[in-house]
Amino acid sequence: MNTKIQIQKLPAIVSLLVHNIIRTYNYFTKMFSINEGSLKPISLFLFLGLLWCPLLSQWNFFAIEFNQNEYSQNPKANHCLSPEALDKRKALHIKIDHLDVDIFPRYLETMKNKGLSVAYTSRWLNTIIVATKQSTIPSLPIIKKFWLIDTMSDGQWLVKKDTIVESGKIITKNLNKSDVYGASAGITKFLGLKRLHDAGFTGKGVKVVVFDGGFSNVQKLSIFDTLKSDHRFWFHKDFSQNKRNIFKAGQHGTQVLSCMAAYFPGTYIGTGYDAKYGIIATETGRFESPLEEWAWIQGLEEADRLGADIIQSSLGYTTFDHSEFDHKEDQLCRSEWPIFKAAKLAFQKGMVLINSAGNEGNSHWKYVGFPSGAEDVIAVAASYVNGEIANFSSHGYPLGPLKPNVVAVGVQTPCISSSGYVVGATGTSFAAPSLAGAMTCLIQLYPNEKSRFYTQILRAISSHSLKHSDRSGYGIPDFSLALKYSNPESKMPFY
């Protein structure tokens, strides 16, 4: 018997038991108006009976980390990378390694044979997330460790997704602004981006993957016509547990994408309008769960497999529906946290990660969250168009990596709704994509550099690059300065 695995069963079982004691006790005392200390023997009997009911009907989600397998010992033969990803690795002199090999298929088959449903996989962390109604995981020599990450009822899990993608056209009304940038002129000016656009640096050839919950009507909106006609709408994938498909699941992703990719002269021009865009739904709107972090990690690995240059994510996680799984502030110091480890690996493999800092500045949490708190993620704070930091914009955690990193407009940020109208949206969710679009122009200007180069130049062109603030990071980037550093005789300050 594998005693190491047996010992690890205890925390999972205890966690499930405590979780259900709290949930069932609260329900029972509320329903029967029982005060603390007044439970009679018959009430206690009923309570204990109710206690075990959820254990029998709920779904339990476990993370299972495997022992290293022989399948990954020959990564060049077994890698899962696309031709575009291989070209990128070659240009950046990044070697193929065992992290580029999918989890051994036999391991996944073994899990299924044990009655475990695989929800998410991570080749980088050699870990899978499984759903089961069992209270623990069987002892197997291939398993290194496992831990409980969430629980759900039958109604929350195994949803049937609407797969019908509607056709049609939604025409955005022409604003006929005298400025070609239309409603987005203020954003372009704020970031000093017009000089790069005028010089031909518009994001062309740069590959961006956007993570969000839903991208309603992206396939219909005329604002994205050039994205589709130029064959720059790269792909769409859905790793969420939303009942509606990616083109119906909400407009947050649509608005985010428009900040970068929309192109309608005189009405709206995104900050990186010539780049190539893929979209992945990783966020599930109907619950807050650690599962969403694992969907984010799987999205990251898929973007790497396809050869992405930039990840744009306006998502963040701090607390969940089941409070026993909530993050704690001190976890912002722990680089070994799964979503932080995945972010670091993505950075090392040549991707630039841009994430909203978060809107927790006025909340009990206050600080950046997950993944924006990761050292290798560019966390974007929100400001008014005059540069004043928004009160809601999350603070950096004093004991963690220096956060946020930079600032962009996140109060009444112009963007395009799923109905095709120009609207103003507020939140760091809309500061981050404006910055991400600008970064596509920077990558076009300086192609085939590693991720560290781009984060360093971003700091160099920001308004207070020598002094970090836990509210505004290194300040407001002026992308026009990037042209100055492109002159071979000009030395860019590195930190």
Side-chain angles (χ1 to χ4, degrees):
M1 181 180 290
N2 188 333
T3 55
K4 184 176 181 182
I5 297 297
Q6 289 296 314
I7 289 169
Q8 290 190 40
K9 283 185 180 181
L10 183 59
I13 294 171
V14 171
S15 179
L16 275 172
L17 184 60
V18 171
H19 169 79
N20 284 287
I21 287 173
I22 295 169
R23 188 186 297 179
T24 309
Y25 180 78
N26 289 338
Y27 171 80
F28 187 73
T29 52
K30 182 179 179 182
M31 286 294 291
F32 295 96
S33 301
I34 296 171
N35 297 321
E36 289 187 22
S38 67
L39 282 172
K40 295 181 179 180
I42 188 168
S43 301
L44 182 60
F45 176 78
L46 290 171
F47 168 68
L48 291 172
L50 284 171
L51 169 64
W52 290 103
C53 290
L55 286 173
L56 298 174
S57 63
Q58 74 181 12
W59 288 97
N60 303 314
F61 297 90
F62 292 95
I64 300 175
E65 183 179 346
F66 294 114
N67 291 311
Q68 197 62 47
N69 65 79
E70 295 179 5
Y71 191 70
S72 65
Q73 298 308 305
N74 187 10
K76 289 188 177 180
N78 299 317
H79 74 78
C80 63
L81 303 177
S82 70
E84 283 184 301
L86 291 173
D87 289 343
K88 178 181 174 69
R89 295 288 183 89
K90 184 177 180 180
L92 297 181
H93 307 289
I94 297 174
K95 293 181 179 180
I96 298 170
D97 60 23
H98 68 282
L99 299 177
D100 301 313
V101 179
D102 281 331
I103 290 175
F104 195 18
R106 182 171 62 82
Y107 288 5
L108 302 180
E109 193 62 32
T110 299
M111 296 299 104
K112 292 175 184 177
N113 291 339
K114 293 294 182 180
L116 308 175
S117 175
V118 177
Y120 296 108
T121 64
S122 170
R123 66 178 184 272
W124 291 349
L125 305 182
N126 201 26
T127 299
I128 64 173
I129 306 302
V130 298
T132 178
K133 291 193 175 182
Q134 303 170 26
S135 61
T136 190
I137 299 299
S139 297
L140 294 169
I142 61 174
I143 295 176
K144 181 178 181 181
K145 64 179 179 178
F146 66 87
W147 63 99
L148 182 71
I149 67 165
D150 206 355
T151 63
M152 287 186 191
S153 65
D154 276 330
Q156 288 180 290
W157 187 245
L158 290 179
V159 300
K160 185 177 181 181
K161 191 179 290 289
D162 171 15
T163 58
I164 298 173
V165 177
E166 298 173 351
S167 59
K169 196 74 170 177
I170 299 175
I171 307 295
T172 295
K173 183 180 179 181
N174 193 337
L175 298 183
N176 291 315
K177 295 277 188 179
S178 57
D179 190 317
V180 68
Y181 285 92
S184 61
I187 304 300
T188 307
K189 181 179 179 181
F190 185 90
L191 294 172
L193 193 55
K194 190 173 185 300
R195 283 186 61 193
L196 257 69
H197 284 180
D198 289 346
F201 299 104
T202 54
K204 191 174 182 64
V206 179
K207 300 183 288 295
V208 183
V209 178
V210 184
F211 297 169
D212 216 284
F215 297 82
S216 290
N217 293 334
V218 162
Q219 82 283 15
K220 297 181 182 180
L221 288 165
S222 64
I223 203 83
F224 297 121
D225 278 354
T226 59
L227 185 66
K228 290 169 277 191
S229 64
D230 293 348
H231 306 290
R232 292 182 292 102
F233 187 37
W234 191 10
F235 65 85
H236 66 273
K237 294 179 182 290
D238 193 345
F239 296 158
S240 76
Q241 302 302 325
N242 293 312
K243 294 181 180 179
R244 290 175 172 267
N245 69 55
I246 193 171
F247 296 116
K248 295 180 181 177
Q251 71 169 357
H252 188 270
T254 307
Q255 293 174 306
V256 164
L257 182 64
S258 72
C259 293
M260 301 172 277
Y263 186 76
F264 191 177
T267 298
Y268 196 100
I269 294 180
T271 51
Y273 64 87
D274 259 344
K276 190 174 181 178
Y277 291 91
I279 57 176
I280 300 180
T282 63
E283 169 83 357
T284 300
R286 59 195 175 82
F287 56 63
E288 285 295 320
S289 167
L291 287 173
E292 295 170 293
E293 294 190 15
W294 288 95
W296 194 91
I297 291 170
Q298 185 168 310
L300 207 57
E301 294 181 14
E302 179 67 5
D304 171 64
R305 186 184 72 80
L306 295 172
D309 300 306
I310 290 177
I311 300 296
Q312 149 50 38
S313 164
S314 287
L315 303 170
Y317 305 99
T318 54
T319 59
F320 303 108
D321 291 345
H322 298 152
S323 60
E324 59 267 45
F325 301 109
D326 286 353
H327 283 297
K328 306 298 186 291
E329 290 174 2
D330 62 0
Q331 290 170 354
L332 288 166
C333 307
R334 291 168 55 184
S335 59
E336 75 275 10
W337 200 257
I339 202 167
F340 286 177
K341 286 174 68 176
K344 178 173 284 294
L345 289 168
F347 186 83
Q348 292 171 350
K349 290 180 179 295
M351 290 188 283
V352 176
L353 281 66
I354 299 167
N355 205 95
S356 52
N359 304 327
E360 305 292 340
N362 291 326
S363 76
H364 175 72
W365 179 268
K366 185 179 177 180
Y367 302 113
V368 293
F370 301 75
S372 59
E375 181 180 4
D376 300 298
V377 171
I378 298 169
V380 186
S383 77
Y384 293 84
V385 74
N386 66 1
E388 179 186 350
I389 300 300
N391 289 335
F392 62 78
S393 191
S394 292
H395 299 235
Y397 183 58
L399 301 179
L402 294 178
K403 295 289 169 177
N405 297 84
V406 290
V407 177
V409 176
V411 179
Q412 288 296 299
T413 308
C415 58
I416 309 299
S417 73
S418 60
S419 301
Y421 293 100
V422 176
V423 297
T426 294
T428 57
S429 283
F430 308 102
S434 298
L435 189 281
M439 288 296 289
T440 68
C441 307
L442 189 68
I443 291 176
Q444 184 190 357
L445 175 62
Y446 295 100
N448 300 324
E449 297 284 355
K450 292 187 177 179
S451 304
R452 183 70 61 193
F453 175 91
Y454 299 117
T455 59
Q456 287 177 324
I457 194 170
L458 179 64
R459 176 178 170 181
I461 64 176
S462 294
S463 56
H464 45 271
S465 60
L466 297 177
K467 186 176 182 181
H468 184 271
S469 160
D470 71 349
R471 299 305 319 284
S472 60
Y474 293 107
I476 302 167
D478 180 354
F479 282 85
S480 68
L481 295 177
L483 287 168
K484 167 186 173 182
Y485 295 128
S486 67
N487 183 337
E489 297 179 359
S490 177
K491 293 183 178 180
M492 185 180 69
F494 282 97
Y495 302 95

